[in-house]
Amino acid sequence: SAVISQKPSRDICQRGTSLTIQCQVDSQVTMMFWYRQQPGQSLTLIATANQGSEATYESGFVIDKFPISRPNLTFSTLTVSNMSPEDSSIYLCSVRTASGGKLFFGSGTQLSVL
Amino acid sequence: AQSVAQPEDQVNVAEGNPLTVKCTYSVSGNPYLFWYVQYPNRGLQFLLKYITGDNLVKGSYGFEAEFNKSQTSFHLKKPSALVSDSALYFCAVRPPGSWGKFQFGAGTQVVVTP
């Protein structure tokens, strides 16, 4: 299993500002992902955070808007840049363990943009 | 393209009655199938998975799911629901070879009344 600490748990931000979300895992993991869960909707994969290289973004998500860092195998950050009210969502960090192949999730960051 | 469908936005059941949450999928090849549960203000928690083998999979908190290849379904079941089972349930599929790219269903809100 994996224990994931994600912070902040929630934040209220002004339009045009940026917020960086941190994700810390209690063990080394190869695969780390960032998901978005918009109000009343399912999870959408934003990107795969790759250690030592640029993140791999899904269709509809770009690096300028959601820059991601992955300096080592236990830590990643997601920045939501130049925020607008449409960015109000829950952002979830997740990791996939080698054994079992399932995803573990952080508790999420509830972001509200005014 | 792969997809996951949860046809019911909400399922209402009385405590002690059987609970079923439906999920159907469309994916090439033999998928890996998962169920997750999300409690308010929490991240997703893993319930169970099907990779291969016995079509009936048992998971956490008394839940089980039945894989039906001909109907491409993976319905979640619990023989006797508890009020504490009230939560949001997500079905997810990971196509073979896709590593961590899970496709999540829209989610089904389960409400168990005393």
Side-chain angles (χ1 to χ4, degrees):
Chain A
S1 66
V3 177
I4 303 170
S5 300
Q6 188 175 335
K7 58 181 181 181
S9 58
R10 60 179 60 237
D11 207 341
I12 300 173
C13 300
Q14 295 297 319
R15 182 194 298 260
T17 62
S18 298
L19 175 72
T20 295
I21 303 167
Q22 298 181 4
C23 178
Q24 179 75 53
V25 189
D26 68 341
S27 58
Q28 293 187 341
V29 292
T30 303
M31 309 206 74
M32 189 177 280
F33 308 91
W34 288 98
Y35 282 85
R36 181 174 72 181
Q37 185 179 17
Q38 293 179 299
Q41 298 191 27
S42 186
L43 282 75
T44 302
L45 180 63
I46 298 171
T48 302
N50 303 309
Q51 193 267 331
S53 64
E54 261 190 21
T56 305
Y57 290 85
E58 297 300 305
S59 175
F61 298 95
V62 295
I63 187 171
D64 290 346
K65 177 65 177 178
F66 297 102
I68 288 171
S69 77
R70 179 92 191 269
N72 56 54
L73 292 176
T74 64
F75 186 78
S76 177
T77 67
L78 168 75
T79 299
V80 186
S81 303
N82 189 23
M83 288 183 284
S84 67
E86 292 72 33
D87 295 320
S88 297
S89 292
I90 298 173
Y91 292 85
L92 293 153
C93 169
S94 71
V95 303
R96 177 180 177 269
T97 59
S99 62
K102 59 187 180 231
L103 285 182
F104 293 90
F105 286 85
S107 55
T109 297
Q110 174 102 46
L111 172 61
S112 297
V113 184
L114 304 179
Chain B
Q2 64 265 15
S3 65
V4 181
Q6 293 180 243
E8 300 154 318
D9 291 337
Q10 182 165 315
V11 169
N12 298 298
V13 63
E15 187 173 34
N17 283 359
L19 168 64
T20 298
V21 186
K22 296 179 180 177
C23 172
T24 59
Y25 65 90
S26 173
V27 66
S28 301
N30 296 316
Y32 299 167
L33 297 160
F34 302 79
W35 275 101
Y36 285 84
V37 60
Q38 185 178 35
Y39 297 100
N41 303 314
R42 303 276 295 276
L44 276 70
Q45 296 179 29
F46 170 79
L47 279 179
L48 51 78
K49 67 179 180 182
Y50 173 83
I51 304 296
T52 186
D54 194 350
N55 289 343
L56 185 63
V57 179
K58 294 188 183 298
S60 306
Y61 312 122
F63 283 94
E64 58 187 28
E66 186 167 12
F67 171 65
N68 187 317
K69 188 171 184 178
S70 63
Q71 297 184 4
T72 61
S73 67
F74 189 57
H75 300 331
L76 181 70
K77 300 180 181 182
K78 186 170 184 179
S80 178
L82 301 172
V83 172
S84 57
D85 293 327
S86 298
L88 186 57
Y89 291 79
F90 289 99
C91 180
V93 61
R94 178 166 73 87
S98 67
W99 294 102
K101 290 190 178 184
F102 284 53
Q103 179 89 32
F104 285 84
T108 298
Q109 184 71 48
V110 169
V111 178
V112 183
T113 52

